[in-house]
Each structure stands twice: as C-alpha cells, then as structure tokens.
Amino acid sequence: MNPANYVILSAILFSLGAIGVLVRRNAIIVFMSVELMLNAANLAFVAFARMNGNLDGQVAAFFVMVVAAAEVVVGLAIIVTIFRSRRSASIDEPNLLKY
Amino acid sequence: MTEVNLGEEIVFWISGGLAVLGALGMILSKKAVHSALWVALTMINLAILYIANSAPFLGMVQVIVYTGAVMMLFLFVLMVVGVDSSDSLIETLKGQRLVSIVLAIGLAILLIAGVGAGLTDVVPVGLEEANGVDGGNVEGIARLLFTDYLIAFEVTSALLITAALGAMVLAHRERWLPRASQAELSRSRFLGAGHPGNLPSSGTYARHNAVDTPALLPDGSPSELSIPGPLVARGDVRPIDHHDVDQIESLGGGTK
C-alpha cells in the first residue's frame, strides 16, 4: 500500500463534506460538514508530513485544529442567536436581505 | 514503498472505511443528533489514522478536542435548539441537490486523479528520523511551536480569547425590563388567556403515570396539556388504550 492512499481518503472525506454543506438545510449539520472538510485537510497535512519527513505538516494541522475550535464556538453562538430570534435553524429562513 | 507494513494496511482499510461510513451517515441521517454521532465516529477513526501516520500527539489532540469538546458542544447546541428541528425537504433552488452532488463527485475525481496520480512514484521519507531528533513526536512538535512558529502560536492565543469573548457577546441577552414579581406573574396568569393553575400531570386516570402518557379527561379523551411539548413534537406520545377507558367506566358504574 502506498501512503498516498491517505491523501485519496482525505479527498473522499473532503468531497463528502462538500456534499453535506451543499445538500443539507439544517445549519448545525452544515456546520458539522464544514468540520469534516477541515478534518480531511488535516489528514492530508499529516500524510504529507510523513512523506516529506518533517514535522511542519503536523504543526500546520495543529493550527487548523485551534482555528476550527474557535470557529465552532463563534459559529454555534451565531446559530443559537439566530434560533432565538427566528425559532428555526434552517438556512433557508434568514433571507431578509433579499428584500 | 516498503514502509507501510501489513498491520498499518489493515488499520487503514478498517479505520478509513469507518471514517467514510461516518461521513455518509452524517449526510444521509434525517435527525441532527444522529448526524452528530456519525461525525463523532469519523473523528475517532481519523485519530486512529493520525496515530498510524506517526502523529501520536495529533491523534490524542483529535480525540480530546474533536470528539471531546467540539462534538459535545454540537450536541449541547442541538439540545438548546431542539431535537425536533429536522430538515425541510423543500428545494428552494430547483435541482440544486442533484447539481451539487454531481459537482462534489467531480471534485473528488479531480482531487484523486490530480493529487493521487502525482504521488504514485513519490518515495515517502517517513518520520522516524524527524521524530527521533528531539526524543519523540511531542518534543519535536514542541520545538517547532516554540521556535519557528512562535509568533503564530502567540497569535493563536489572541484568537482563542477573541472567540471566547465573541461567543459570550453573541449568547448574552440584555434584560430590558425589571424581573416580574410573584404577584405580577400571578395576576398576568389569571388575566391572560393561559392556564391559571398547575398544568395537569401526566397519566392522571390513565393506566401508567409515565411522562409520555396523557392524562385522561372525565370523558376518556386525552388531555393535550399534560404532555411536554418536545415529546409531542417528536411523536413519542403513548396512544390511549380504549380498553382501559372502558374498564374504568365499568368500575365506576359498579360502585354507583
């Protein structure tokens, strides 16, 4: 088996996350799909670090995790705020800017 | 290419397959809670794959941060938002679902063909040497974080504080009116259209007193007020057994 298989798995997971973002209408599930895409990128980072024989890729994945944690906190707070005012977590609902 | 041994290959196929299964489950499951559990499965299997890729530190951080903190936060918000907030199946844009699936499959083919084909004859160096310089993976990452990436690491702390403050500001609700006193609450309850006293408790005159059993009114019909709202929304209300109602009526007739 070639270590490039990890990169292929990462590409598959990234595409599945993209499908989730585009197809689902619940804001929380869309958010989980974004997390899945970030994790797929992390797997590619780790696999590349191993192929190149240095740890910089792992440090990059570590920073991605930190940024993802911060993003989750703020994003979920926004979802809760929107839910409080509109009683809905559907991303089709907040379309007031259209009018 | 002799670096990947048989054990790692087995781990890759099992964990990779489970990770893809979790991602598919997230997309396909109807309820948001089920999606969250599927994503947790994917995250744990990714942690195993990190450890197989000689990144034990990242594997542990993945378990603690993602399956521990992030997914718990997701579940917590799901409980706040309500488990009944399921997806609407109406397409706002016509044909968007089909087009997006086709485009995402195209993206996968592009990535696999481009990146995967470019990597077939790359000889992987392996991390044994890099991990061994400082005595281990954790030490190696620590040296990089506190030398080459020191500024990025310090900026990260500012980012985390900003995120925490942002969440507090967004979730905060200002109180505009003074808190209502008990007398005012009681007055508004009797003057308003609401229910003045306690709501009927579940299961009164019914066979069970579990929370999903509606109380029976004198005519044998179920009382909507006695069931918590989320149970009604989830469709978990126990149906009335009319045999019981008849039995109770006959008992009442017997004592007359």
Side-chain angles (χ1 to χ4, degrees):
Chain A
M1 190 187 89
N2 192 317
N5 282 11
Y6 286 106
V7 183
I8 292 172
L9 173 66
S10 139
I12 291 171
L13 287 176
F14 190 87
S15 308
L16 285 173
I19 292 180
V21 170
L22 292 172
V23 169
R24 298 307 299 261
R25 300 258 76 81
N26 187 332
I28 297 174
I29 298 180
V30 170
F31 216 54
M32 282 184 227
S33 307
V34 174
E35 288 304 307
L36 185 67
M37 292 168 82
L38 286 169
N39 267 286
N42 270 352
L43 182 63
F45 268 130
V46 172
F48 283 136
R50 181 181 178 192
M51 286 181 192
N52 286 315
N54 61 28
L55 289 173
D56 294 84
Q58 294 194 9
V59 174
F62 176 73
F63 280 125
V64 170
M65 280 183 189
V66 175
V67 174
E71 173 236 342
V72 163
V73 169
V74 176
L76 286 178
I78 291 174
I79 289 176
V80 169
T81 314
I82 290 177
F83 179 79
R84 228 183 244 158
S85 60
R86 308 199 57 120
R87 310 310 294 169
S88 159
S90 168
I91 52 171
D92 280 340
E93 295 282 327
N95 55 1
L96 275 179
L97 283 179
K98 225 165 76 174
Y99 305 111
Chain B
M1 233 68 69
T2 55
E3 201 203 348
V4 177
N5 57 24
L6 182 66
E8 187 185 336
E9 200 172 331
I10 294 170
V11 167
F12 173 80
W13 288 112
I14 292 177
S15 288
L18 283 175
V20 172
L21 179 76
L24 282 174
M26 177 200 70
I27 298 173
L28 295 177
S29 55
K30 255 197 194 106
K31 291 188 174 175
V33 179
H34 297 173
S35 286
L37 295 178
W38 283 115
V39 175
L41 176 75
T42 304
M43 302 282 179
I44 287 204
N45 282 292
L46 281 176
I48 296 170
L49 290 177
Y50 291 170
I51 294 171
N53 261 315
S54 46
F57 175 69
L58 280 183
M60 288 301 138
V61 170
Q62 170 87 3
V63 170
I64 295 168
V65 171
Y66 271 105
T67 53
V70 170
M71 292 324 294
M72 280 308 113
L73 200 60
F74 267 112
L75 285 176
F76 182 73
V77 169
L78 275 175
M79 294 303 144
V80 171
V81 167
V83 283
D84 57 307
S85 64
S86 47
D87 251 356
S88 66
L89 294 170
I90 308 154
E91 274 185 302
T92 320
L93 303 171
K94 204 171 159 232
Q96 184 236 7
R97 206 160 293 190
L98 189 71
V99 171
S100 54
I101 290 173
V102 169
L103 284 180
I105 292 173
L107 174 71
I109 292 172
L110 194 70
L111 283 173
I112 292 170
V115 184
L119 289 173
T120 43
D121 40 352
V122 173
V123 179
V125 182
L127 277 173
E128 284 76 18
E129 195 187 338
N131 273 341
V133 172
D134 297 293
N137 178 254
V138 180
E139 286 87 346
I141 289 181
R143 187 181 56 75
L144 277 178
L145 272 185
F146 291 110
T147 55
D148 293 358
Y149 294 94
L150 182 65
I151 294 177
F153 187 65
E154 296 294 338
V155 172
T156 296
S157 66
L159 173 78
L160 284 175
I161 290 180
T162 316
L165 272 177
M168 280 162 68
V169 169
L170 282 172
H172 180 71
R173 198 165 11 173
E174 198 72 45
R175 181 177 283 283
W176 299 106
L177 302 167
R179 187 186 283 273
S181 69
Q182 198 177 5
E184 283 165 346
L185 283 177
S186 171
R187 208 167 293 133
S188 69
R189 211 180 296 137
F190 275 94
L191 289 177
H195 200 280
N198 291 341
L199 291 175
S201 58
S202 62
T204 311
Y205 298 125
R207 189 137 187 210
H208 310 273
N209 60 358
V211 282
D212 61 344
T213 312
L216 293 184
L217 296 174
D219 59 350
S221 61
S223 164
E224 293 291 328
L225 290 173
S226 62
I227 301 291
L231 287 182
V232 179
R234 252 164 44 187
D236 279 347
V237 177
R238 194 189 290 265
I240 295 293
D241 191 348
H242 282 281
H243 178 70
D244 292 351
V245 177
D246 297 341
Q247 206 176 3
I248 292 165
E249 271 176 1
S250 69
L251 282 176
T255 54
K256 232 186 278 181

PDB file of all heavy atoms in Angstrom, chain A residues 23-56:
ATOM      1  N   VAL A  23     -26.043  20.148   0.338  1.00  0.00           N
ATOM      2  CA  VAL A  23     -27.345  19.485   0.254  1.00  0.00           C
ATOM      3  C   VAL A  23     -28.192  19.723   1.491  1.00  0.00           C
ATOM      4  O   VAL A  23     -29.394  19.973   1.387  1.00  0.00           O
ATOM      5  CB  VAL A  23     -27.138  17.969   0.019  1.00  0.00           C
ATOM      6  CG1 VAL A  23     -28.421  17.220   0.203  1.00  0.00           C
ATOM      7  CG2 VAL A  23     -26.606  17.743  -1.373  1.00  0.00           C
ATOM      8  N   ARG A  24     -27.588  19.666   2.697  1.00  0.00           N
ATOM      9  CA  ARG A  24     -28.400  19.759   3.907  1.00  0.00           C
ATOM     10  C   ARG A  24     -28.853  21.194   4.160  1.00  0.00           C
ATOM     11  O   ARG A  24     -28.168  22.151   3.782  1.00  0.00           O
ATOM     12  CB  ARG A  24     -27.621  19.232   5.118  1.00  0.00           C
ATOM     13  CG  ARG A  24     -27.229  17.786   5.014  1.00  0.00           C
ATOM     14  CD  ARG A  24     -28.378  16.859   4.706  1.00  0.00           C
ATOM     15  NE  ARG A  24     -29.385  16.896   5.731  1.00  0.00           N
ATOM     16  CZ  ARG A  24     -29.504  16.001   6.700  1.00  0.00           C
ATOM     17  NH1 ARG A  24     -28.670  14.998   6.766  1.00  0.00           N
ATOM     18  NH2 ARG A  24     -30.478  16.095   7.582  1.00  0.00           N
ATOM     19  N   ARG A  25     -30.038  21.321   4.825  1.00  0.00           N
ATOM     20  CA  ARG A  25     -30.598  22.645   5.069  1.00  0.00           C
ATOM     21  C   ARG A  25     -30.581  23.038   6.543  1.00  0.00           C
ATOM     22  O   ARG A  25     -30.909  24.163   6.882  1.00  0.00           O
ATOM     23  CB  ARG A  25     -32.043  22.698   4.585  1.00  0.00           C
ATOM     24  CG  ARG A  25     -32.221  22.420   3.125  1.00  0.00           C
ATOM     25  CD  ARG A  25     -32.429  23.681   2.323  1.00  0.00           C
ATOM     26  NE  ARG A  25     -31.202  24.428   2.130  1.00  0.00           N
ATOM     27  CZ  ARG A  25     -30.286  24.153   1.208  1.00  0.00           C
ATOM     28  NH1 ARG A  25     -30.450  23.158   0.398  1.00  0.00           N
ATOM     29  NH2 ARG A  25     -29.203  24.864   1.099  1.00  0.00           N
ATOM     30  N   ASN A  26     -30.197  22.102   7.412  1.00  0.00           N
ATOM     31  CA  ASN A  26     -30.109  22.407   8.837  1.00  0.00           C
ATOM     32  C   ASN A  26     -28.747  23.029   9.117  1.00  0.00           C
ATOM     33  O   ASN A  26     -27.718  22.466   8.778  1.00  0.00           O
ATOM     34  CB  ASN A  26     -30.291  21.109   9.630  1.00  0.00           C
ATOM     35  CG  ASN A  26     -30.390  21.353  11.112  1.00  0.00           C
ATOM     36  OD1 ASN A  26     -29.845  22.327  11.621  1.00  0.00           O
ATOM     37  ND2 ASN A  26     -31.094  20.500  11.807  1.00  0.00           N
ATOM     38  N   ALA A  27     -28.737  24.228   9.732  1.00  0.00           N
ATOM     39  CA  ALA A  27     -27.485  24.962   9.896  1.00  0.00           C
ATOM     40  C   ALA A  27     -26.461  24.161  10.685  1.00  0.00           C
ATOM     41  O   ALA A  27     -25.260  24.232  10.393  1.00  0.00           O
ATOM     42  CB  ALA A  27     -27.769  26.278  10.593  1.00  0.00           C
ATOM     43  N   ILE A  28     -26.911  23.362  11.661  1.00  0.00           N
ATOM     44  CA  ILE A  28     -25.959  22.635  12.501  1.00  0.00           C
ATOM     45  C   ILE A  28     -25.300  21.508  11.706  1.00  0.00           C
ATOM     46  O   ILE A  28     -24.103  21.262  11.835  1.00  0.00           O
ATOM     47  CB  ILE A  28     -26.688  22.098  13.751  1.00  0.00           C
ATOM     48  CG1 ILE A  28     -27.201  23.290  14.555  1.00  0.00           C
ATOM     49  CG2 ILE A  28     -25.786  21.276  14.598  1.00  0.00           C
ATOM     50  CD1 ILE A  28     -28.040  22.907  15.714  1.00  0.00           C
ATOM     51  N   ILE A  29     -26.075  20.856  10.837  1.00  0.00           N
ATOM     52  CA  ILE A  29     -25.481  19.782  10.030  1.00  0.00           C
ATOM     53  C   ILE A  29     -24.531  20.367   8.996  1.00  0.00           C
ATOM     54  O   ILE A  29     -23.469  19.804   8.719  1.00  0.00           O
ATOM     55  CB  ILE A  29     -26.595  18.944   9.377  1.00  0.00           C
ATOM     56  CG1 ILE A  29     -27.437  18.292  10.465  1.00  0.00           C
ATOM     57  CG2 ILE A  29     -26.014  17.894   8.483  1.00  0.00           C
ATOM     58  CD1 ILE A  29     -28.542  17.446   9.958  1.00  0.00           C
ATOM     59  N   VAL A  30     -24.887  21.536   8.443  1.00  0.00           N
ATOM     60  CA  VAL A  30     -23.964  22.211   7.518  1.00  0.00           C
ATOM     61  C   VAL A  30     -22.642  22.497   8.228  1.00  0.00           C
ATOM     62  O   VAL A  30     -21.550  22.287   7.688  1.00  0.00           O
ATOM     63  CB  VAL A  30     -24.611  23.513   7.001  1.00  0.00           C
ATOM     64  CG1 VAL A  30     -23.603  24.349   6.257  1.00  0.00           C
ATOM     65  CG2 VAL A  30     -25.778  23.192   6.100  1.00  0.00           C
ATOM     66  N   PHE A  31     -22.752  22.912   9.486  1.00  0.00           N
ATOM     67  CA  PHE A  31     -21.578  23.224  10.276  1.00  0.00           C
ATOM     68  C   PHE A  31     -20.721  21.987  10.525  1.00  0.00           C
ATOM     69  O   PHE A  31     -19.496  22.032  10.431  1.00  0.00           O
ATOM     70  CB  PHE A  31     -22.055  23.818  11.591  1.00  0.00           C
ATOM     71  CG  PHE A  31     -21.175  24.896  12.091  1.00  0.00           C
ATOM     72  CD1 PHE A  31     -20.878  25.968  11.295  1.00  0.00           C
ATOM     73  CD2 PHE A  31     -20.647  24.834  13.343  1.00  0.00           C
ATOM     74  CE1 PHE A  31     -20.058  26.959  11.740  1.00  0.00           C
ATOM     75  CE2 PHE A  31     -19.824  25.820  13.795  1.00  0.00           C
ATOM     76  CZ  PHE A  31     -19.523  26.877  12.997  1.00  0.00           C
ATOM     77  N   MET A  32     -21.395  20.861  10.812  1.00  0.00           N
ATOM     78  CA  MET A  32     -20.648  19.619  11.008  1.00  0.00           C
ATOM     79  C   MET A  32     -19.925  19.230   9.725  1.00  0.00           C
ATOM     80  O   MET A  32     -18.796  18.709   9.779  1.00  0.00           O
ATOM     81  CB  MET A  32     -21.606  18.499  11.394  1.00  0.00           C
ATOM     82  CG  MET A  32     -22.047  18.526  12.816  1.00  0.00           C
ATOM     83  SD  MET A  32     -23.042  17.076  13.057  1.00  0.00           S
ATOM     84  CE  MET A  32     -24.410  17.738  13.889  1.00  0.00           C
ATOM     85  N   SER A  33     -20.543  19.474   8.577  1.00  0.00           N
ATOM     86  CA  SER A  33     -19.890  19.131   7.317  1.00  0.00           C
ATOM     87  C   SER A  33     -18.640  19.979   7.120  1.00  0.00           C
ATOM     88  O   SER A  33     -17.618  19.484   6.619  1.00  0.00           O
ATOM     89  CB  SER A  33     -20.860  19.350   6.161  1.00  0.00           C
ATOM     90  OG  SER A  33     -22.055  18.682   6.393  1.00  0.00           O
ATOM     91  N   VAL A  34     -18.705  21.260   7.527  1.00  0.00           N
ATOM     92  CA  VAL A  34     -17.512  22.105   7.433  1.00  0.00           C
ATOM     93  C   VAL A  34     -16.401  21.528   8.303  1.00  0.00           C
ATOM     94  O   VAL A  34     -15.224  21.476   7.899  1.00  0.00           O
ATOM     95  CB  VAL A  34     -17.865  23.544   7.847  1.00  0.00           C
ATOM     96  CG1 VAL A  34     -16.618  24.389   7.900  1.00  0.00           C
ATOM     97  CG2 VAL A  34     -18.842  24.144   6.867  1.00  0.00           C
ATOM     98  N   GLU A  35     -16.776  21.047   9.508  1.00  0.00           N
ATOM     99  CA  GLU A  35     -15.782  20.435  10.385  1.00  0.00           C
ATOM    100  C   GLU A  35     -15.157  19.217   9.718  1.00  0.00           C
ATOM    101  O   GLU A  35     -13.955  18.978   9.826  1.00  0.00           O
ATOM    102  CB  GLU A  35     -16.440  20.001  11.698  1.00  0.00           C
ATOM    103  CG  GLU A  35     -16.815  21.140  12.586  1.00  0.00           C
ATOM    104  CD  GLU A  35     -15.641  22.014  12.907  1.00  0.00           C
ATOM    105  OE1 GLU A  35     -14.634  21.472  13.364  1.00  0.00           O
ATOM    106  OE2 GLU A  35     -15.729  23.217  12.668  1.00  0.00           O
ATOM    107  N   LEU A  36     -15.985  18.432   9.021  1.00  0.00           N
ATOM    108  CA  LEU A  36     -15.473  17.247   8.336  1.00  0.00           C
ATOM    109  C   LEU A  36     -14.475  17.642   7.260  1.00  0.00           C
ATOM    110  O   LEU A  36     -13.429  16.998   7.099  1.00  0.00           O
ATOM    111  CB  LEU A  36     -16.637  16.468   7.731  1.00  0.00           C
ATOM    112  CG  LEU A  36     -16.263  15.147   7.099  1.00  0.00           C
ATOM    113  CD1 LEU A  36     -15.805  14.191   8.156  1.00  0.00           C
ATOM    114  CD2 LEU A  36     -17.422  14.570   6.350  1.00  0.00           C
ATOM    115  N   MET A  37     -14.769  18.734   6.535  1.00  0.00           N
ATOM    116  CA  MET A  37     -13.827  19.178   5.496  1.00  0.00           C
ATOM    117  C   MET A  37     -12.506  19.618   6.121  1.00  0.00           C
ATOM    118  O   MET A  37     -11.421  19.313   5.595  1.00  0.00           O
ATOM    119  CB  MET A  37     -14.455  20.318   4.697  1.00  0.00           C
ATOM    120  CG  MET A  37     -15.634  19.872   3.855  1.00  0.00           C
ATOM    121  SD  MET A  37     -16.579  21.237   3.194  1.00  0.00           S
ATOM    122  CE  MET A  37     -15.608  21.663   1.782  1.00  0.00           C
ATOM    123  N   LEU A  38     -12.566  20.320   7.260  1.00  0.00           N
ATOM    124  CA  LEU A  38     -11.339  20.729   7.944  1.00  0.00           C
ATOM    125  C   LEU A  38     -10.525  19.507   8.367  1.00  0.00           C
ATOM    126  O   LEU A  38      -9.295  19.482   8.242  1.00  0.00           O
ATOM    127  CB  LEU A  38     -11.673  21.581   9.160  1.00  0.00           C
ATOM    128  CG  LEU A  38     -12.126  23.008   8.876  1.00  0.00           C
ATOM    129  CD1 LEU A  38     -12.677  23.628  10.132  1.00  0.00           C
ATOM    130  CD2 LEU A  38     -10.965  23.824   8.384  1.00  0.00           C
ATOM    131  N   ASN A  39     -11.219  18.476   8.866  1.00  0.00           N
ATOM    132  CA  ASN A  39     -10.529  17.274   9.303  1.00  0.00           C
ATOM    133  C   ASN A  39      -9.891  16.551   8.132  1.00  0.00           C
ATOM    134  O   ASN A  39      -8.801  15.990   8.275  1.00  0.00           O
ATOM    135  CB  ASN A  39     -11.513  16.351  10.002  1.00  0.00           C
ATOM    136  CG  ASN A  39     -11.512  16.582  11.481  1.00  0.00           C
ATOM    137  OD1 ASN A  39     -10.600  16.188  12.151  1.00  0.00           O
ATOM    138  ND2 ASN A  39     -12.511  17.280  11.967  1.00  0.00           N
ATOM    139  N   ALA A  40     -10.562  16.555   6.977  1.00  0.00           N
ATOM    140  CA  ALA A  40      -9.983  15.918   5.797  1.00  0.00           C
ATOM    141  C   ALA A  40      -8.697  16.634   5.402  1.00  0.00           C
ATOM    142  O   ALA A  40      -7.685  15.991   5.081  1.00  0.00           O
ATOM    143  CB  ALA A  40     -10.999  15.959   4.651  1.00  0.00           C
ATOM    144  N   ALA A  41      -8.708  17.963   5.475  1.00  0.00           N
ATOM    145  CA  ALA A  41      -7.491  18.715   5.168  1.00  0.00           C
ATOM    146  C   ALA A  41      -6.385  18.363   6.159  1.00  0.00           C
ATOM    147  O   ALA A  41      -5.215  18.222   5.784  1.00  0.00           O
ATOM    148  CB  ALA A  41      -7.786  20.202   5.186  1.00  0.00           C
ATOM    149  N   ASN A  42      -6.761  18.177   7.427  1.00  0.00           N
ATOM    150  CA  ASN A  42      -5.777  17.796   8.441  1.00  0.00           C
ATOM    151  C   ASN A  42      -5.133  16.454   8.114  1.00  0.00           C
ATOM    152  O   ASN A  42      -3.923  16.279   8.287  1.00  0.00           O
ATOM    153  CB  ASN A  42      -6.455  17.693   9.804  1.00  0.00           C
ATOM    154  CG  ASN A  42      -6.425  18.990  10.538  1.00  0.00           C
ATOM    155  OD1 ASN A  42      -5.770  19.927  10.100  1.00  0.00           O
ATOM    156  ND2 ASN A  42      -7.130  19.063  11.636  1.00  0.00           N
ATOM    157  N   LEU A  43      -5.955  15.508   7.659  1.00  0.00           N
ATOM    158  CA  LEU A  43      -5.409  14.195   7.312  1.00  0.00           C
ATOM    159  C   LEU A  43      -4.406  14.328   6.176  1.00  0.00           C
ATOM    160  O   LEU A  43      -3.336  13.702   6.197  1.00  0.00           O
ATOM    161  CB  LEU A  43      -6.546  13.248   6.925  1.00  0.00           C
ATOM    162  CG  LEU A  43      -6.124  11.828   6.594  1.00  0.00           C
ATOM    163  CD1 LEU A  43      -5.510  11.186   7.802  1.00  0.00           C
ATOM    164  CD2 LEU A  43      -7.289  11.008   6.112  1.00  0.00           C
ATOM    165  N   ALA A  44      -4.707  15.184   5.195  1.00  0.00           N
ATOM    166  CA  ALA A  44      -3.756  15.406   4.102  1.00  0.00           C
ATOM    167  C   ALA A  44      -2.466  16.019   4.635  1.00  0.00           C
ATOM    168  O   ALA A  44      -1.364  15.613   4.244  1.00  0.00           O
ATOM    169  CB  ALA A  44      -4.387  16.311   3.054  1.00  0.00           C
ATOM    170  N   PHE A  45      -2.585  16.961   5.570  1.00  0.00           N
ATOM    171  CA  PHE A  45      -1.394  17.581   6.169  1.00  0.00           C
ATOM    172  C   PHE A  45      -0.514  16.518   6.824  1.00  0.00           C
ATOM    173  O   PHE A  45       0.709  16.494   6.639  1.00  0.00           O
ATOM    174  CB  PHE A  45      -1.813  18.608   7.223  1.00  0.00           C
ATOM    175  CG  PHE A  45      -1.958  20.004   6.702  1.00  0.00           C
ATOM    176  CD1 PHE A  45      -3.098  20.732   6.956  1.00  0.00           C
ATOM    177  CD2 PHE A  45      -0.939  20.604   5.979  1.00  0.00           C
ATOM    178  CE1 PHE A  45      -3.233  22.021   6.488  1.00  0.00           C
ATOM    179  CE2 PHE A  45      -1.058  21.887   5.515  1.00  0.00           C
ATOM    180  CZ  PHE A  45      -2.213  22.590   5.761  1.00  0.00           C
ATOM    181  N   VAL A  46      -1.152  15.651   7.622  1.00  0.00           N
ATOM    182  CA  VAL A  46      -0.384  14.642   8.356  1.00  0.00           C
ATOM    183  C   VAL A  46       0.285  13.671   7.385  1.00  0.00           C
ATOM    184  O   VAL A  46       1.455  13.296   7.557  1.00  0.00           O
ATOM    185  CB  VAL A  46      -1.317  13.917   9.351  1.00  0.00           C
ATOM    186  CG1 VAL A  46      -0.611  12.747   9.971  1.00  0.00           C
ATOM    187  CG2 VAL A  46      -1.757  14.872  10.430  1.00  0.00           C
ATOM    188  N   ALA A  47      -0.457  13.277   6.337  1.00  0.00           N
ATOM    189  CA  ALA A  47       0.129  12.343   5.371  1.00  0.00           C
ATOM    190  C   ALA A  47       1.299  12.989   4.633  1.00  0.00           C
ATOM    191  O   ALA A  47       2.340  12.346   4.412  1.00  0.00           O
ATOM    192  CB  ALA A  47      -0.946  11.907   4.383  1.00  0.00           C
ATOM    193  N   PHE A  48       1.160  14.262   4.283  1.00  0.00           N
ATOM    194  CA  PHE A  48       2.259  14.935   3.578  1.00  0.00           C
ATOM    195  C   PHE A  48       3.471  15.097   4.488  1.00  0.00           C
ATOM    196  O   PHE A  48       4.616  15.005   4.034  1.00  0.00           O
ATOM    197  CB  PHE A  48       1.799  16.293   3.061  1.00  0.00           C
ATOM    198  CG  PHE A  48       0.957  16.211   1.830  1.00  0.00           C
ATOM    199  CD1 PHE A  48      -0.194  16.961   1.701  1.00  0.00           C
ATOM    200  CD2 PHE A  48       1.321  15.376   0.792  1.00  0.00           C
ATOM    201  CE1 PHE A  48      -0.972  16.878   0.576  1.00  0.00           C
ATOM    202  CE2 PHE A  48       0.555  15.293  -0.349  1.00  0.00           C
ATOM    203  CZ  PHE A  48      -0.595  16.038  -0.463  1.00  0.00           C
ATOM    204  N   ALA A  49       3.217  15.365   5.796  1.00  0.00           N
ATOM    205  CA  ALA A  49       4.332  15.489   6.732  1.00  0.00           C
ATOM    206  C   ALA A  49       5.135  14.196   6.753  1.00  0.00           C
ATOM    207  O   ALA A  49       6.370  14.215   6.769  1.00  0.00           O
ATOM    208  CB  ALA A  49       3.804  15.805   8.126  1.00  0.00           C
ATOM    209  N   ARG A  50       4.428  13.053   6.710  1.00  0.00           N
ATOM    210  CA  ARG A  50       5.132  11.778   6.729  1.00  0.00           C
ATOM    211  C   ARG A  50       5.901  11.547   5.438  1.00  0.00           C
ATOM    212  O   ARG A  50       7.013  11.034   5.437  1.00  0.00           O
ATOM    213  CB  ARG A  50       4.122  10.686   6.938  1.00  0.00           C
ATOM    214  CG  ARG A  50       4.726   9.327   6.994  1.00  0.00           C
ATOM    215  CD  ARG A  50       3.626   8.356   7.171  1.00  0.00           C
ATOM    216  NE  ARG A  50       4.080   7.003   7.196  1.00  0.00           N
ATOM    217  CZ  ARG A  50       3.243   5.992   7.117  1.00  0.00           C
ATOM    218  NH1 ARG A  50       1.960   6.234   7.006  1.00  0.00           N
ATOM    219  NH2 ARG A  50       3.689   4.783   7.147  1.00  0.00           N
ATOM    220  N   MET A  51       5.308  11.962   4.307  1.00  0.00           N
ATOM    221  CA  MET A  51       6.005  11.750   3.033  1.00  0.00           C
ATOM    222  C   MET A  51       7.264  12.597   2.942  1.00  0.00           C
ATOM    223  O   MET A  51       8.272  12.170   2.392  1.00  0.00           O
ATOM    224  CB  MET A  51       5.076  12.107   1.878  1.00  0.00           C
ATOM    225  CG  MET A  51       4.005  11.093   1.643  1.00  0.00           C
ATOM    226  SD  MET A  51       3.028  11.610   0.265  1.00  0.00           S
ATOM    227  CE  MET A  51       1.686  10.493   0.423  1.00  0.00           C
ATOM    228  N   ASN A  52       7.206  13.817   3.481  1.00  0.00           N
ATOM    229  CA  ASN A  52       8.348  14.712   3.362  1.00  0.00           C
ATOM    230  C   ASN A  52       9.342  14.534   4.491  1.00  0.00           C
ATOM    231  O   ASN A  52      10.420  15.117   4.427  1.00  0.00           O
ATOM    232  CB  ASN A  52       7.870  16.171   3.335  1.00  0.00           C
ATOM    233  CG  ASN A  52       7.247  16.503   2.000  1.00  0.00           C
ATOM    234  OD1 ASN A  52       7.791  16.148   0.972  1.00  0.00           O
ATOM    235  ND2 ASN A  52       6.100  17.153   2.030  1.00  0.00           N
ATOM    236  N   GLY A  53       8.963  13.806   5.543  1.00  0.00           N
ATOM    237  CA  GLY A  53       9.924  13.535   6.597  1.00  0.00           C
ATOM    238  C   GLY A  53      10.228  14.712   7.499  1.00  0.00           C
ATOM    239  O   GLY A  53      11.288  14.765   8.092  1.00  0.00           O
ATOM    240  N   ASN A  54       9.312  15.694   7.617  1.00  0.00           N
ATOM    241  CA  ASN A  54       9.499  16.705   8.660  1.00  0.00           C
ATOM    242  C   ASN A  54       8.167  17.011   9.319  1.00  0.00           C
ATOM    243  O   ASN A  54       7.099  16.666   8.803  1.00  0.00           O
ATOM    244  CB  ASN A  54      10.154  17.978   8.127  1.00  0.00           C
ATOM    245  CG  ASN A  54       9.343  18.649   7.063  1.00  0.00           C
ATOM    246  OD1 ASN A  54       8.123  18.535   7.042  1.00  0.00           O
ATOM    247  ND2 ASN A  54       9.993  19.356   6.164  1.00  0.00           N
ATOM    248  N   LEU A  55       8.233  17.684  10.470  1.00  0.00           N
ATOM    249  CA  LEU A  55       7.043  17.812  11.315  1.00  0.00           C
ATOM    250  C   LEU A  55       6.219  19.075  11.024  1.00  0.00           C
ATOM    251  O   LEU A  55       5.229  19.312  11.706  1.00  0.00           O
ATOM    252  CB  LEU A  55       7.457  17.817  12.790  1.00  0.00           C
ATOM    253  CG  LEU A  55       7.939  16.471  13.333  1.00  0.00           C
ATOM    254  CD1 LEU A  55       8.484  16.627  14.717  1.00  0.00           C
ATOM    255  CD2 LEU A  55       6.795  15.482  13.345  1.00  0.00           C
ATOM    256  N   ASP A  56       6.631  19.878  10.030  1.00  0.00           N
ATOM    257  CA  ASP A  56       5.900  21.126   9.799  1.00  0.00           C
ATOM    258  C   ASP A  56       4.440  20.889   9.423  1.00  0.00           C
ATOM    259  O   ASP A  56       3.564  21.654   9.815  1.00  0.00           O
ATOM    260  CB  ASP A  56       6.588  21.919   8.691  1.00  0.00           C
ATOM    261  CG  ASP A  56       7.961  22.394   9.113  1.00  0.00           C
ATOM    262  OD1 ASP A  56       8.917  21.596   8.990  1.00  0.00           O
ATOM    263  OD2 ASP A  56       8.074  23.517   9.593  1.00  0.00           O
TER     264      ASP A  56
END
